[in-house]
Amino acid sequence: MKRFARLLGLIVISIVLLIPIACSSKDPTQRISGEGEKESGKVTLKLGADAWMVEKLKLDQAVKKFNANHPDIQVQISPYADRTVLSTFALQWSQGKTDVDIAMVDGTATAVQFLAKDLLIDFNETDFFQGPTAKENFVGNSVSFGEIDGFQFAIPISLETYAINVNKKMFEEAGLLDADGKVIQPKDWNELYEYAKKMTKVEGGKVTQQGMTIQWGPNAQSTLISVAQAMNGTFYDKDGVLTFDTPEMREMLEIWKKGADEGVFSIDTFTNKDAGRNNYKADQVAMLLQSGSHAPEAEPTVGEGNTTVIPIPGSEVNGSYAFTAGIIVPRASKNQEAAVQFIQEALMDGETQIAAGTEWGKLPVIKEHFDQIDAEWKDNLLAIIEKSVTAPFYKEYPVLINEVPKLLQQYLTGEMDLDTFIEEVEAMIDDIDKNVK
């Protein structure tokens, strides 16, 4: 029954991506176009962005500054609530229509689905990679996060990686800082479990200090590829296919189950993906495994110098899952030139990127701006990012993002055993369309 439901879901996704474009009055495969920009002497650009981005990436600030400098181009932000809107985008764009001129997606891998019908512009065919935004001016290999076979389908913004955010006060109390006040790095998941157990406090049958929270909610797929990369140096098998069926992953999953059963690892993220972040900010969690961006975010409440990040066991050598949000422009937009100009001038702006980095840990992708942030957590993240990789560029990767967390939670709550969990996930990976186009 589960396999049938997955198959039905895949059919629906495939139908959305393969909607014919014959009914379109415009040819969505046309290259960079400025059509419509001069019809009224004023261009209105619509920016579609995941709701969280508006505040954390300082989009209001970027738009206000750009609009003031360009009275002939006015940008409007249209926030969307979650990833489900992306299927609507795919349907519209395949028909040569669009409600937005620029879209920002949470993770460039989620934009790969739009490549199936050539729905996105190639930034290599624009003037974007010139001057301050030339490719050599980007941090590390962040540009490659939005590139496939020489086709630059997305511009990266907000550089992050999965790591362990820590509360140094709790580590000090537990005797887990060295003589220089640095966190003593746990060498493996068994030791990490012991750290979490030592820092978990229970009073009157209630946990008053959580040893560790792991992102097991909607972003659990990202957590899994992070720990797999850290332990094995890859999350692909010998044939280059994503897999979690390795001895190391099985051992780690058993530790997760033990920690969840004992309350050493919180399951709060099952029902609220932000629970770990919120509790970490509230000075109640010793370790939080998800994006390393949360250490700077928590500093105002936990205390200056009391937050930092450490590698997931193994990622100091093998890296982790690194990612950026992606900025894309649909071919269906009539204002492509103005859209590229806004991305280059406003979204890559130093003031905007540095503010997002220092306040929310959404690190700048331009080296000049990145280097202006002086913090231990940033240096620790950079050391991980330099070795890290991004998510698989599978056309139906969103299926894993949506379904794997549900299976993981069933395993962690005892509804299925480890073998069944691995079997279900591997079958799902086998079923999805792993092509790019």
Side-chain angles (χ1 to χ4, degrees), residues 75-147:
V75 181
Q76 299 175 354
I77 302 175
S78 300
Y80 59 84
D82 54 51
R83 295 188 184 104
T84 58
V85 76
L86 299 183
S87 60
T88 303
F89 285 168
L91 177 60
Q92 283 189 335
W93 297 352
S94 66
Q95 296 173 338
K97 302 180 292 186
T98 184
D99 289 333
V100 297
D101 299 288
I102 304 165
M104 298 177 67
V105 295
D106 190 2
T108 53
T110 62
V112 172
Q113 61 190 294
F114 301 120
L115 298 179
K117 295 294 290 185
D118 197 23
L119 301 179
L120 305 178
I121 71 167
D122 180 357
F123 284 92
N124 286 327
E125 297 184 359
T126 74
D127 294 330
F128 181 84
F129 291 116
Q130 296 182 7
T133 54
K135 288 186 178 181
E136 61 266 24
N137 293 330
F138 280 76
V139 176
N141 60 349
S142 58
V143 171
S144 71
F145 293 174
E147 183 269 334

Side-chain angles (χ1 to χ4, degrees), residues 51-358:
W52 69 263
M53 298 176 180
V54 177
E55 178 184 11
K56 294 186 177 180
L57 299 188
K58 306 295 181 181
L59 297 187
D60 283 332
Q61 176 181 316
V63 167
K64 183 178 180 180
K65 185 175 180 179
F66 183 85
N67 286 348
N69 292 334
H70 298 278
D72 57 326
I73 306 174
Q74 293 297 289
V75 181
Q76 299 175 354
I77 302 175
S78 300
Y80 59 84
D82 54 51
R83 295 188 184 104
T84 58
V85 76
L86 299 183
S87 60
T88 303
F89 285 168
L91 177 60
Q92 283 189 335
W93 297 352
S94 66
Q95 296 173 338
K97 302 180 292 186
T98 184
D99 289 333
V100 297
D101 299 288
I102 304 165
M104 298 177 67
V105 295
D106 190 2
T108 53
T110 62
V112 172
Q113 61 190 294
F114 301 120
L115 298 179
K117 295 294 290 185
D118 197 23
L119 301 179
L120 305 178
I121 71 167
D122 180 357
F123 284 92
N124 286 327
E125 297 184 359
T126 74
D127 294 330
F128 181 84
F129 291 116
Q130 296 182 7
T133 54
K135 288 186 178 181
E136 61 266 24
N137 293 330
F138 280 76
V139 176
N141 60 349
S142 58
V143 171
S144 71
F145 293 174
E147 183 269 334
I148 294 177
D149 296 333
F151 189 102
Q152 192 73 40
F153 65 91
I155 299 300
I157 187 172
S158 174
L159 181 58
E160 301 183 54
T161 191
Y162 267 49
I164 301 173
N165 304 268
V166 304
N167 184 314
K168 292 180 71 174
K169 293 186 299 183
M170 296 178 185
F171 270 70
E172 181 177 21
E173 182 182 327
L176 296 173
L177 298 182
D178 64 19
D180 296 322
K182 304 288 186 181
V183 172
I184 301 171
Q185 172 69 30
K187 65 179 182 294
D188 55 29
W189 270 94
N190 282 302
E191 192 163 80
L192 188 56
Y193 161 80
E194 294 297 336
Y195 275 31
K197 186 174 183 179
K198 187 172 186 177
M199 290 185 283
T200 298
K201 294 182 178 180
V202 180
E203 296 178 8
K206 182 179 178 181
V207 175
T208 57
Q209 177 176 295
Q210 186 66 58
M212 188 172 192
T213 298
I214 302 171
Q215 179 49 261
W216 288 332
N219 295 331
Q221 170 66 18
S222 298
T223 308
L224 284 167
I225 62 175
S226 299
V227 297
Q229 177 67 29
M231 288 191 299
N232 296 325
T234 183
F235 40 71
Y236 297 109
D237 64 17
K238 60 182 177 58
D239 297 317
V241 177
L242 174 67
T243 184
F244 297 124
D245 191 6
T246 67
E248 294 83 2
M249 284 296 290
R250 285 175 173 271
E251 180 184 3
M252 186 275 304
L253 285 164
E254 289 176 345
I255 295 170
W256 277 10
K257 180 70 167 62
K258 179 173 69 170
D261 289 344
E262 297 175 353
V264 170
F265 298 153
S266 170
I267 62 171
D268 288 352
T269 55
F270 279 18
T271 54
N272 178 4
K273 75 170 185 177
D274 293 325
R277 183 189 73 183
N278 293 338
N279 291 333
Y280 178 65
K281 287 172 64 176
D283 207 12
Q284 297 174 349
V285 175
M287 294 182 287
L288 170 65
L289 196 167
Q290 55 186 62
S291 169
S293 63
H294 302 304
E297 179 185 345
E299 191 172 64
T301 50
V302 178
E304 184 175 356
N306 289 325
T307 65
T308 191
V309 297
I310 61 173
I312 298 167
S315 65
E316 68 278 12
V317 174
N318 295 323
S320 178
Y321 158 56
F323 62 102
T324 66
I327 311 167
I328 56 179
V329 175
R331 292 197 187 283
S333 170
K334 297 178 180 179
N335 301 308
Q336 294 172 22
E337 291 179 6
V340 171
Q341 182 182 358
F342 171 76
I343 297 167
Q344 186 177 45
E345 293 184 20
L347 298 182
M348 299 294 109
D349 174 70
E351 181 182 357
T352 301
Q353 289 210 354
I354 292 169
T358 53

